[in-house]
Amino acid sequence: LLMNIELANKKVQFIDSPMTGSKLAADAGQIIFMVGATESNSEIIKPILQSCGKKIIYTGQVGMGQKMKIVLNMIQAGLLQI
């Protein structure tokens, strides 16, 4: 979030877009992106992400993509404990 603030002060727009999937999924274009950005920036980046992955989930403002990725990792780690 600090990076977003610093970049905004320089008139640069920031998007966070972590992804999930294995190397095999990446090779097959099956990556899932979790995008944190303004809605307009999310739409701007969408064609690029669509060329690399199968699904784009808009999660809200900058930082929410990273939060969603952390939640997903925690759920997956919990499932591995079962």
Side-chain angles (χ1 to χ4, degrees), residues 30-63:
Q30 299 295 306
I31 293 294
I32 298 171
F33 294 95
M34 295 157 277
V35 179
T38 63
E39 285 189 58
S40 59
N41 283 346
S42 174
E43 289 300 315
I44 291 168
I45 197 74
K46 195 174 197 176
I48 296 168
L49 298 179
Q50 286 174 328
S51 72
C52 304
K54 71 172 183 176
K55 187 165 182 114
I56 300 163
I57 302 168
Y58 175 68
T59 59
Q61 65 187 358
V62 171

Side-chain angles (χ1 to χ4, degrees), residues 18-20 34 64-73:
M19 61 187 121
T20 187
M34 295 157 277
M64 294 304 292
Q66 291 294 334
K67 288 179 183 178
M68 182 66 74
K69 174 68 174 173
I70 291 167
V71 169
L72 179 61
N73 286 352

